[in-house]
Amino acid sequence: MSKTIVHVDMDAFFAAVEVRDNPELKGKPVIIGADPLSSRGVVSTCSYEARKFGVHSAQPIAQAKKLCPHGIFLKGDMEKYTLVSKDLMVIFDEFSPLVEPLSIDEAFLDMTGCEHFYKDLYEIGVKIKARIKDKLQLTASVGIAPNKFLAKLASEKEKPDGLTLVKEPLAFLDSIPLKKMWGVGPSTYSKLISLGIEDIPSLRETPLDTLVKSLGKQGYQLYRLSRGIDNRAVEAADQNKSIGNEETFLIDIEGEKIHQALLQLTDKTARRLRKQELKCRTVTVKMRLPDFTTFEKSHTLDEATSDTDILFEEVKKLAKTYKGPFRLLGVSLSNFSSIETLNLFESEEEKSKLWETIDSLQNKGFDIKKATILDTEPGKHD
Ligand SMILES: [Mg+2]
């Protein structure tokens, strides 16, 4: 049965919220990122006016200032964006019982079975966009397709304020630059180029053997994606699940030892997270004082991560309001997403098909890279 998957992504989200709330910013290059007085940090979001000057997400602020010296640089107000995001998620819930948030400003909606409420599939997008505009005075771009991979590409196709319905997956894919494909970052891209693959049609024509030889498991994924195949289900975020570690100390700890213990706990927990191919958004620190008083402090990041350094930064911030000594410390991670793990295998059968290909190539003497680390882009909110 064909599915109807909708991907909704807000346009220049943080910048758009600022322009909405400060009309004098309208039509101006607005750049959200680090402290405007320092040149540290990276651009988190920028308005489309700023993009004309070559400013983009994840660019160092210093560079953005060179490109767009008259730009309006704002630190951003995460608390406000989080509140808008909550309203956005409520709108998504009105449309679909199955919503998978990907970040603060985007989500997949599985609308399979809801189609008959609408004149046609296109109207689903029109209604969602109108509701967002009406309730939040913000624009979103929407992609509608038979699977997540295509829906996400589709929402990006006509940004900003776009609406793209994928009727013919292959023809649609052929209009997408190879670099835009999921999992094709700089290193994968240069490997593909070295194989003579410069676009999606030529990727599709490349034999599976060739792709797997050069890219391992990812070669198989690209083989399938180039055919528009992606069987991943839309999965509602499970708020109850968490991964955590805690430690009770023989002697209450204080000073530098607290730092060390938190780092070890974070590292251990982050490893478990990565082992399960997950990323998390919520970090929780548990602290127990010698008199057994216990505190728990949490923070939710705007972007899911499995990076120990980023997680440890959060842990430190959460813990710093309390002084030791501590009898127990704990770190737990929750609010998972598995979006960037690109696990495309629907069944064990599919998986074993890949391993058969890999094994047969290895038997012929090829050295197959089995690593599945995909190139991923830094967090951005386009
Ligand atoms: Mg966005």
Side-chain angles (χ1 to χ4, degrees), residues 9-13 105-106 159 380-382:
D9 184 20
M10 302 303 285
D11 303 318
F13 184 52
D105 76 325
E106 60 178 311
K159 252 180 178 304
K380 57 180 190 177
H381 305 287
D382 294 347

PDB file of all heavy atoms in Angstrom, residues 9-13 105-106 159 380-382, ligand 1:
ATOM      1  N   ASP A   9       8.652  21.840   7.147  1.00  0.00           N
ATOM      2  CA  ASP A   9       9.869  22.496   7.638  1.00  0.00           C
ATOM      3  C   ASP A   9       9.652  24.004   7.593  1.00  0.00           C
ATOM      4  O   ASP A   9       9.348  24.574   6.551  1.00  0.00           O
ATOM      5  CB  ASP A   9      11.043  22.089   6.740  1.00  0.00           C
ATOM      6  CG  ASP A   9      12.369  22.635   7.238  1.00  0.00           C
ATOM      7  OD1 ASP A   9      12.465  22.998   8.423  1.00  0.00           O
ATOM      8  OD2 ASP A   9      13.308  22.698   6.425  1.00  0.00           O
ATOM      9  N   MET A  10       9.801  24.655   8.727  1.00  0.00           N
ATOM     10  CA  MET A  10       9.613  26.102   8.791  1.00  0.00           C
ATOM     11  C   MET A  10      10.730  26.810   8.018  1.00  0.00           C
ATOM     12  O   MET A  10      11.854  26.339   7.961  1.00  0.00           O
ATOM     13  CB  MET A  10       9.619  26.579  10.243  1.00  0.00           C
ATOM     14  CG  MET A  10       8.545  25.930  11.104  1.00  0.00           C
ATOM     15  SD  MET A  10       6.878  26.176  10.451  1.00  0.00           S
ATOM     16  CE  MET A  10       6.646  27.899  10.914  1.00  0.00           C
ATOM     17  N   ASP A  11      10.414  27.945   7.426  1.00  0.00           N
ATOM     18  CA  ASP A  11      11.394  28.695   6.636  1.00  0.00           C
ATOM     19  C   ASP A  11      12.185  29.639   7.535  1.00  0.00           C
ATOM     20  O   ASP A  11      11.595  30.471   8.222  1.00  0.00           O
ATOM     21  CB  ASP A  11      10.671  29.517   5.564  1.00  0.00           C
ATOM     22  CG  ASP A  11       9.815  28.636   4.665  1.00  0.00           C
ATOM     23  OD1 ASP A  11      10.285  27.541   4.292  1.00  0.00           O
ATOM     24  OD2 ASP A  11       8.676  29.031   4.348  1.00  0.00           O
ATOM     25  N   ALA A  12      13.504  29.497   7.495  1.00  0.00           N
ATOM     26  CA  ALA A  12      14.410  30.372   8.256  1.00  0.00           C
ATOM     27  C   ALA A  12      13.844  30.636   9.658  1.00  0.00           C
ATOM     28  O   ALA A  12      13.689  31.780  10.080  1.00  0.00           O
ATOM     29  CB  ALA A  12      14.634  31.688   7.507  1.00  0.00           C
ATOM     30  N   PHE A  13      13.552  29.557  10.356  1.00  0.00           N
ATOM     31  CA  PHE A  13      12.691  29.606  11.537  1.00  0.00           C
ATOM     32  C   PHE A  13      13.016  30.710  12.554  1.00  0.00           C
ATOM     33  O   PHE A  13      12.194  31.591  12.814  1.00  0.00           O
ATOM     34  CB  PHE A  13      12.687  28.234  12.218  1.00  0.00           C
ATOM     35  CG  PHE A  13      11.764  28.119  13.398  1.00  0.00           C
ATOM     36  CD1 PHE A  13      10.435  28.479  13.307  1.00  0.00           C
ATOM     37  CD2 PHE A  13      12.234  27.633  14.611  1.00  0.00           C
ATOM     38  CE1 PHE A  13       9.579  28.367  14.392  1.00  0.00           C
ATOM     39  CE2 PHE A  13      11.383  27.505  15.708  1.00  0.00           C
ATOM     40  CZ  PHE A  13      10.061  27.875  15.593  1.00  0.00           C
ATOM     41  N   ASP A 105      11.902  22.784  14.417  1.00  0.00           N
ATOM     42  CA  ASP A 105      11.020  23.404  13.412  1.00  0.00           C
ATOM     43  C   ASP A 105      10.633  22.501  12.260  1.00  0.00           C
ATOM     44  O   ASP A 105      10.238  22.986  11.211  1.00  0.00           O
ATOM     45  CB  ASP A 105      11.667  24.684  12.877  1.00  0.00           C
ATOM     46  CG  ASP A 105      12.794  24.389  11.901  1.00  0.00           C
ATOM     47  OD1 ASP A 105      13.509  23.388  12.108  1.00  0.00           O
ATOM     48  OD2 ASP A 105      12.940  25.144  10.930  1.00  0.00           O
ATOM     49  N   GLU A 106      10.753  21.205  12.427  1.00  0.00           N
ATOM     50  CA  GLU A 106      10.340  20.329  11.329  1.00  0.00           C
ATOM     51  C   GLU A 106       9.873  18.975  11.852  1.00  0.00           C
ATOM     52  O   GLU A 106      10.256  18.553  12.944  1.00  0.00           O
ATOM     53  CB  GLU A 106      11.469  20.138  10.320  1.00  0.00           C
ATOM     54  CG  GLU A 106      12.709  19.531  10.911  1.00  0.00           C
ATOM     55  CD  GLU A 106      13.821  19.309   9.884  1.00  0.00           C
ATOM     56  OE1 GLU A 106      13.536  18.739   8.814  1.00  0.00           O
ATOM     57  OE2 GLU A 106      14.952  19.694  10.176  1.00  0.00           O
ATOM     58  N   LYS A 159      11.570  25.924  -1.365  1.00  0.00           N
ATOM     59  CA  LYS A 159      11.722  26.850  -0.245  1.00  0.00           C
ATOM     60  C   LYS A 159      11.994  28.272  -0.705  1.00  0.00           C
ATOM     61  O   LYS A 159      12.710  28.433  -1.672  1.00  0.00           O
ATOM     62  CB  LYS A 159      12.874  26.374   0.647  1.00  0.00           C
ATOM     63  CG  LYS A 159      12.372  25.810   1.935  1.00  0.00           C
ATOM     64  CD  LYS A 159      13.499  25.351   2.813  1.00  0.00           C
ATOM     65  CE  LYS A 159      12.960  24.833   4.112  1.00  0.00           C
ATOM     66  NZ  LYS A 159      12.128  25.713   4.892  1.00  0.00           N
ATOM     67  N   LYS A 380      21.082  22.950  11.412  1.00  0.00           N
ATOM     68  CA  LYS A 380      20.636  24.212  10.854  1.00  0.00           C
ATOM     69  C   LYS A 380      19.127  24.236  10.816  1.00  0.00           C
ATOM     70  O   LYS A 380      18.477  23.207  10.908  1.00  0.00           O
ATOM     71  CB  LYS A 380      21.237  24.442   9.477  1.00  0.00           C
ATOM     72  CG  LYS A 380      20.941  23.338   8.478  1.00  0.00           C
ATOM     73  CD  LYS A 380      21.586  23.682   7.172  1.00  0.00           C
ATOM     74  CE  LYS A 380      21.114  22.742   6.081  1.00  0.00           C
ATOM     75  NZ  LYS A 380      21.668  23.094   4.787  1.00  0.00           N
ATOM     76  N   HIS A 381      18.599  25.420  10.690  1.00  0.00           N
ATOM     77  CA  HIS A 381      17.151  25.556  10.763  1.00  0.00           C
ATOM     78  C   HIS A 381      16.606  26.310   9.577  1.00  0.00           C
ATOM     79  O   HIS A 381      16.001  27.346   9.692  1.00  0.00           O
ATOM     80  CB  HIS A 381      16.747  26.245  12.064  1.00  0.00           C
ATOM     81  CG  HIS A 381      17.300  25.519  13.231  1.00  0.00           C
ATOM     82  ND1 HIS A 381      16.801  24.323  13.635  1.00  0.00           N
ATOM     83  CD2 HIS A 381      18.355  25.788  14.017  1.00  0.00           C
ATOM     84  CE1 HIS A 381      17.528  23.892  14.648  1.00  0.00           C
ATOM     85  NE2 HIS A 381      18.469  24.757  14.892  1.00  0.00           N
ATOM     86  N   ASP A 382      16.901  25.773   8.413  1.00  0.00           N
ATOM     87  CA  ASP A 382      16.404  26.412   7.208  1.00  0.00           C
ATOM     88  C   ASP A 382      14.941  26.088   7.024  1.00  0.00           C
ATOM     89  O   ASP A 382      14.354  26.411   6.077  1.00  0.00           O
ATOM     90  CB  ASP A 382      17.214  25.948   5.989  1.00  0.00           C
ATOM     91  CG  ASP A 382      18.654  26.443   6.123  1.00  0.00           C
ATOM     92  OD1 ASP A 382      18.870  27.293   6.984  1.00  0.00           O
ATOM     93  OD2 ASP A 382      19.521  25.956   5.396  1.00  0.00           O
TER      94      ASP A 382
HETATM   95 MG    MG B   1      13.495  24.881   8.898  1.00  0.00          MG
END
